[in-house]
Amino acid sequence: MDNQDIRKAGLKVTLPRIKILGLLENNSQRHVSAEDVYKMLLDNGEEIGLATVYRVLTQFETAGLVTRHNFEGGHAVFELDRGGHHDHMVCVVCGKVEEFIDTTIEKRQREIAKEHGFEMVDHSLIIYGHCGNPKCKVGY
Amino acid sequence: MDNQDIRKAGLKVTLPRIKILGLLENNSQRHVSAEDVYKMLLDNGEEIGLATVYRVLTQFETAGLVTRHNFEGGHAVFELDRGGHHDHMVCVVCGKVEEFIDTTIEKRQREIAKEHGFEMVDHSLIIYGHCGNPKCKVGY
DNA sequence: CTTGCAATGAAAAAGATTCTCATCATCATT
DNA sequence: AATGATGATGAGAATCTTTTTCATTGCAAG
């Protein structure tokens, strides 16, 4: 995942795109909003506009470099697409996101889509719950 | 599902709430945005404010009368909660929504959550694809 | 190097949702 | 049925997220 990926997507290799891709690669939390990306880059002393962040993230999504998720919260979050598809588990208290993949579910989904006459092109499975952290348990 | 449900939710039985609940019950498309509800009620000659629609839908959600979904599209859609949980299949071309339920997937989800130390409280499974309509097929 | 065309940033605009506040309606109590 | 406390409403302002506009800048092909 480097600048060649940007070029292969038919996009010019510009500083903003390099910075955004770099941040997505190296940031500790894999799921970030456009606003997150913008602020982090500003904090790193980069000069960038919020509109550019939105534009580039959308272009990366179209190019298949990142995936956009519509979790709860009123804003989209983006994640670098590292090849392997996976689903998400979100803690309703602290917001922690864990990833998982289950072949049983994946297979059933394709079968169900076919049963309904759908040709599946994508899917989104999000499990909401209380994560292992005691502070996030019910009745804390 | 009637006015008693509104009262049981600890809410006063007011005209806007009756109208919104009635619309959710009788409307042909089960998944509607706040804007949809607002416009439909206006078209029916009702006097109602958009802020009230948002407020009431959120209250109904809290009360467990309706469910809010974050499909793609930048706005939430609401659906009357008719007791039975189900998942969704959305056509990426025409937007048609079909509902389904699969016990295999439901069971696996609970197991997976537990394996990750999560206590599942909710989940969202959306399959995106091309529906049976020839116009929605790939390459049309 | 030059030059076309894509990319950028700032600000405005658009869209979705929430908040404020003065007025009004519900409903438990008279 | 009248009253009054309290919650609900509608209009518009405000907020938040995302997109668009447009003048300027920078990549990259020749």
Side-chain angles (χ1 to χ4, degrees):
Chain A
M1 188 71 63
D2 64 353
N3 300 346
Q4 292 312 311
D5 293 297
I6 298 175
R7 186 163 283 126
K8 271 186 273 178
L11 302 167
K12 287 189 179 174
V13 179
T14 64
L15 217 48
R17 289 183 181 141
I18 294 170
K19 295 300 179 189
I20 292 172
L21 191 55
L23 189 148
L24 290 174
E25 278 186 290
N26 301 319
N27 191 55
S28 61
Q29 65 171 310
R30 288 164 63 112
H31 303 81
V32 290
S33 67
E35 189 79 26
D36 291 337
V37 171
Y38 175 61
K39 288 195 176 139
M40 285 168 170
L41 288 177
L42 284 192
D43 287 351
N44 289 8
E46 309 292 346
E47 277 203 4
I48 197 166
L50 182 55
T52 302
V53 174
Y54 274 103
R55 248 182 322 233
V56 170
L57 285 173
T58 301
Q59 291 160 342
F60 283 0
E61 184 196 13
T62 303
L65 294 177
V66 311
T67 303
R68 179 195 304 254
H69 299 290
N70 299 296
F71 294 167
E72 296 174 345
H75 57 269
V77 299
F78 299 83
E79 167 190 23
L80 191 61
D81 204 341
R82 289 180 161 83
H85 158 81
H86 56 257
D87 294 310
H88 297 88
M89 200 173 301
V90 182
C91 177
V92 293
V93 179
C94 70
K96 185 170 89 165
V97 179
E98 283 204 24
E99 302 173 350
F100 69 91
I101 177 76
D102 184 82
T103 50
T104 307
I105 291 182
E106 297 293 320
K107 209 175 77 181
R108 272 306 284 150
Q109 284 182 148
R110 272 190 298 279
E111 291 169 4
I112 292 165
K114 195 170 292 177
E115 286 166 15
H116 286 251
F118 271 61
E119 193 174 332
M120 179 170 118
V121 296
D122 193 13
H123 73 262
S124 158
L125 168 56
I126 307 163
I127 294 180
Y128 295 100
H130 297 267
C131 77
N133 188 328
K135 284 193 169 53
C136 298
K137 285 297 178 194
V138 187
Y140 178 77
Chain B
M1 189 70 64
D2 63 353
N3 299 347
Q4 292 312 311
D5 293 297
I6 298 176
R7 186 163 283 126
K8 272 187 273 179
L11 302 167
K12 287 187 178 174
V13 180
T14 64
L15 216 48
R17 290 184 180 138
I18 295 170
K19 294 302 179 189
I20 292 173
L21 192 56
L23 188 146
L24 291 173
E25 278 186 289
N26 301 321
N27 190 56
S28 62
Q29 65 171 312
R30 287 164 64 112
H31 303 82
V32 290
S33 68
E35 190 79 27
D36 291 338
V37 171
Y38 175 61
K39 287 195 176 139
M40 285 170 171
L41 288 178
L42 284 193
D43 287 351
N44 289 8
E46 310 293 344
E47 275 203 6
I48 196 164
L50 182 54
T52 301
V53 174
Y54 274 104
R55 245 182 327 233
V56 170
L57 284 174
T58 301
Q59 291 160 343
F60 282 1
E61 183 196 14
T62 303
L65 293 177
V66 311
T67 303
R68 179 195 305 254
H69 298 290
N70 298 297
F71 295 167
E72 295 173 346
H75 58 267
V77 299
F78 299 83
E79 168 190 24
L80 191 61
D81 204 342
R82 290 181 161 82
H85 157 82
H86 56 257
D87 295 310
H88 296 90
M89 201 173 300
V90 182
C91 178
V92 294
V93 179
C94 70
K96 184 170 89 165
V97 179
E98 283 205 21
E99 302 172 352
F100 69 91
I101 177 75
D102 184 80
T103 51
T104 307
I105 291 182
E106 297 293 321
K107 210 174 75 179
R108 272 305 285 150
Q109 284 182 150
R110 273 190 298 278
E111 290 169 4
I112 292 165
K114 195 169 292 176
E115 285 166 17
H116 286 253
F118 271 61
E119 194 174 331
M120 179 171 117
V121 297
D122 194 14
H123 74 262
S124 158
L125 169 54
I126 307 162
I127 294 180
Y128 295 100
H130 296 266
C131 78
N133 188 328
K135 284 192 169 54
C136 297
K137 286 294 178 196
V138 188
Y140 178 77

